[in-house]
Amino acid sequence: MVYMISIILMGVGVYGLLTQKNLFKYLVSLTIIDTAVNIFIIALGYTGGEAPIYTEKFPYFSFNFVDPLPQALVLTAIVIGVGVLALGASLLVRIKEKHSSIDIEDLKGVKE
Amino acid sequence: MISLLVAIPLLAAFLSLFLKKISGILFFLSALVNLTVIFMERLPNAVSIHAMGNWKPPFGINLVLDNASFYAVLIVNLIFFLVSLLPQKTKRNYETSLMLLMAATNGFVLTGDLFNSFVFMEIITITAVTIASKRENFYNAYKYLILGGVAGSLYLLATIFAYGTAGSLNMAHVAMVGLSSGSLAAVATLYTIGLGVEAKLFPLNGWVSGVYGGNELAPVVLGTSVSFAALYMVGRLFGTVFQGNGAEVLYALSLITILAGEFAALRQTSLLKTFAYSSVAQAGIVIAMISKRTETSMNLAYFHLTNDVMAKFVIFLVAGFLVYNYEDLNGIFKKHRVLGISFSMATFSLVGFPLFAGFQSKIRIIMEAFSSNDLLLPAVLLLATAIEVGYVIRWNVKLWFGEETQEDKTSAPFTVGLFAMALAVFLVFVFVKPEFVLSGTQKMAKALIDTEGYIKGVLFSTTGGM
């Protein structure tokens, strides 16, 4: 089920990148793809066990643990995703200031 | 000690935020210290690791210095050192990004961990985008960011697939355990797409002309050091970790990349964009040789890459100076003879004319392909060379013999002329003494295909650690 959600989200993100004309929507699509990958990673680590935290209530030897590594990786991946998003948003502001538009139809004449 | 290669530029980048006036000096010093560290850490024929937090591999993150990463990190830092010596005008306000890029590129080359390589690749993308946005080149930088972001996501997906199958993120451990044939195909394909953006593999190279043509700094840095790092990682993953699996896809894509790059270069009317697409084609040649995964082919791949990187440094340096100082480039070399001679020598090396380094690598690549009964690569390479001759001659004629239309007597900064000429002369030196570069690339090639040595070196290493 969780895998399906991540695959659907990935599809939505890729569809957005391929069909949208607005640069802001590109950024949103990229974020959706990021989220899809993050959910996929979490799903991979979840094997039906308990939270990997040792307490007296949950002595570690009596449970199957969820793999904690993917969760740690996702934390890093989220931070990187936010960094990319912030840089993209700041570039969008500058594109809007310079070209008065963030629609790729209007930006077609921009010098490459 | 090798962690200093990442830590020093990172610290210098942080300090440069507060000490803006001396950020140029900080950049120079960090590049110089890095080079010193690299030469001090040289361990011939040994694998040295730095285990972060003293977590021995396969647990935790580790940096690996072997013959392959030593050569790659040396080239990368030499380039940054040269960039740090360029005139202040060229890199003004971008020193912090350059230092971050240096830290990330070093980390990317040295890391022995798949997830860690993703992190460094994303930092490379972010800093590269900031450099690409110089001269208000925002739209092209944005397109690069989006493509780099998607590629990063797929790289991460490949990493997590590898983790799901092998149960480890350590490259040596993944190589030892191996991936099942089903997951290997998915992982190799995703890594090809992820690295394809930085390595300029077709059809993921659409950003190249916009970013390289947008300012004078981006192509000098991204076209040389980042390209070298990305192509090194292609060799590390497909050579050492996947042991040649999935290389057929790479080979097919590389041949298309060569032709697509050359035809696109021929069509361009802008100087920077012509050689931007030329870089794409050269990356294709390198990947084609990497995908063969023999010691000789790997050796020639990185020999050709080194020659290309040297030539491209000169070409982009001169082209950047000209494009952003003159509106019309006709006959411009009559005013800048030193730059002109260096530029012509570098372009001739690119084509593979005798007397220049490019000849040595191209002829050896063709001979190697023939000896392995591969007729396709020589055919594509010869066609590509014919196209290269076309645009190289066209640009040289225009820049040397075009009718001058302006009287401007702007003089080239001394350092630009000096570097351009020194590297151009070095290209001739490499033609005469190819062993000078080949001795390094051969060790690199040997290390990249020696999976067993890499596994033993990393997992059972007695050197390194905290």
Side-chain angles (χ1 to χ4, degrees), chain A residues 23 34 67 88 98 111-112, chain B residues 136 142-143 153 163 273:
Chain A
L23 291 183
D34 271 351
D67 185 354
K98 193 179 174 197
K111 200 175 133 195
E112 277 206 355
Chain B
E136 301 200 337
Y142 186 81
K143 286 197 286 190
S153 292
Y163 174 69
K273 276 193 226 169

Side-chain angles (χ1 to χ4, degrees), chain B residues 357-428:
Chain B
F359 175 79
Q360 287 283 9
S361 51
K362 273 199 177 174
I363 197 80
R364 280 161 198 253
I365 285 174
I366 290 173
M367 299 292 277
E368 167 63 15
F370 276 130
S371 70
S372 61
N373 293 324
D374 177 7
L375 299 179
L376 195 57
L377 180 62
V380 170
L381 199 55
L382 289 172
L383 177 61
T385 305
I387 300 169
E388 270 171 7
V389 171
Y391 62 75
V392 160
I393 297 293
R394 189 184 75 199
W395 273 110
N396 273 294
V397 167
K398 181 182 163 74
L399 295 168
W400 276 109
F401 305 110
E403 196 177 327
E404 287 180 83
T405 51
Q406 49 192 343
E407 289 296 313
D408 192 344
K409 290 282 179 191
T410 305
S411 60
F414 176 71
T415 41
V416 173
L418 183 74
F419 283 150
M421 187 46 88
L423 276 174
V425 171
F426 191 66
L427 287 170
V428 179

Side-chain angles (χ1 to χ4, degrees), chain A residues 20-24 26 87-88 90-112, chain B residues 129 132-147 206-207 209-211 214-215:
Chain A
Q20 296 304 314
K21 304 278 184 198
N22 185 303
L23 291 183
F24 181 71
Y26 273 23
L87 181 61
S90 65
L91 279 174
L92 267 184
V93 172
R94 303 303 299 269
I95 292 169
K96 176 78 176 168
E97 279 174 3
K98 193 179 174 197
H99 304 291
S100 307
S101 175
I102 52 167
D103 192 297
I104 53 168
E105 292 293 334
D106 301 329
L107 292 166
K108 267 187 180 162
V110 171
K111 200 175 133 195
E112 277 206 355
Chain B
V129 166
S133 67
K134 193 179 181 225
R135 288 188 185 272
E136 301 200 337
N137 188 27
F138 304 125
Y139 181 46
N140 291 312
Y142 186 81
K143 286 197 286 190
Y144 177 37
L145 179 76
I146 295 290
L147 201 56
W207 56 273
S209 70
V211 168
N215 64 59

Side-chain angles (χ1 to χ4, degrees), chain A residues 12-85:
Chain A
V12 170
V14 173
Y15 178 79
L17 278 179
L18 294 175
T19 58
Q20 296 304 314
K21 304 278 184 198
N22 185 303
L23 291 183
F24 181 71
K25 289 179 183 172
Y26 273 23
L27 206 55
V28 173
S29 304
L30 180 64
T31 314
I32 293 172
I33 291 175
D34 271 351
T35 310
V37 174
N38 290 341
I39 291 174
F40 183 85
I41 299 172
I42 291 285
L44 192 83
Y46 185 73
T47 50
E50 294 295 328
I53 300 167
Y54 173 78
T55 65
E56 285 184 5
K57 194 177 172 189
F58 300 119
Y60 67 91
F61 47 81
S62 62
F63 287 93
N64 286 325
F65 290 140
V66 169
D67 185 354
L69 189 71
Q71 299 179 14
L73 301 186
V74 162
L75 282 176
T76 314
I78 288 171
V79 172
I80 292 169
V82 170
V84 172
L85 186 68

Side-chain angles (χ1 to χ4, degrees), chain B residues 26-150:
Chain B
L26 283 172
F27 180 34
F28 166 74
L29 284 177
S30 53
L32 186 68
V33 172
N34 269 13
L35 276 179
T36 315
V37 170
I38 291 167
F39 283 115
M40 281 169 67
E41 280 292 302
R42 189 171 186 183
L43 286 167
N45 306 317
V47 179
S48 162
I49 63 158
H50 176 94
M52 299 281 182
N54 219 10
W55 289 84
K56 296 287 182 194
F59 306 106
I61 293 170
N62 58 296
L63 300 177
V64 183
L65 190 73
D66 63 348
N67 279 333
S69 57
F70 171 79
Y71 185 79
V73 90
L74 177 66
I75 296 286
V76 164
N77 283 280
L78 272 173
I79 292 165
F80 277 108
F81 182 68
L82 289 179
V83 172
S84 76
L85 295 172
L86 289 181
Q88 187 65 16
K89 188 185 162 192
T90 320
K91 52 187 194 297
R92 190 186 299 146
N93 296 334
Y94 285 84
E95 289 92 347
T96 307
S97 297
L98 284 166
M99 281 183 271
L100 276 174
L101 187 63
M102 180 159 60
T105 317
N106 282 340
F108 188 63
V109 169
L110 288 171
T111 188
D113 183 273
L114 290 172
F115 186 78
N116 201 220
S117 71
F118 157 74
V119 174
F120 283 123
M121 196 177 94
E122 287 293 278
I123 303 172
I124 287 176
T125 304
I126 290 171
T127 46
V129 166
T130 56
I131 292 167
S133 67
K134 193 179 181 225
R135 288 188 185 272
E136 301 200 337
N137 188 27
F138 304 125
Y139 181 46
N140 291 312
Y142 186 81
K143 286 197 286 190
Y144 177 37
L145 179 76
I146 295 290
L147 201 56
V150 176

Side-chain angles (χ1 to χ4, degrees), chain B residues 152-172:
Chain B
S153 292
L154 296 179
Y155 193 94
L156 178 60
L157 207 53
T159 300
I160 213 67
F161 263 126
Y163 174 69
T165 314
S168 178
L169 289 165
N170 187 285
M171 288 183 195

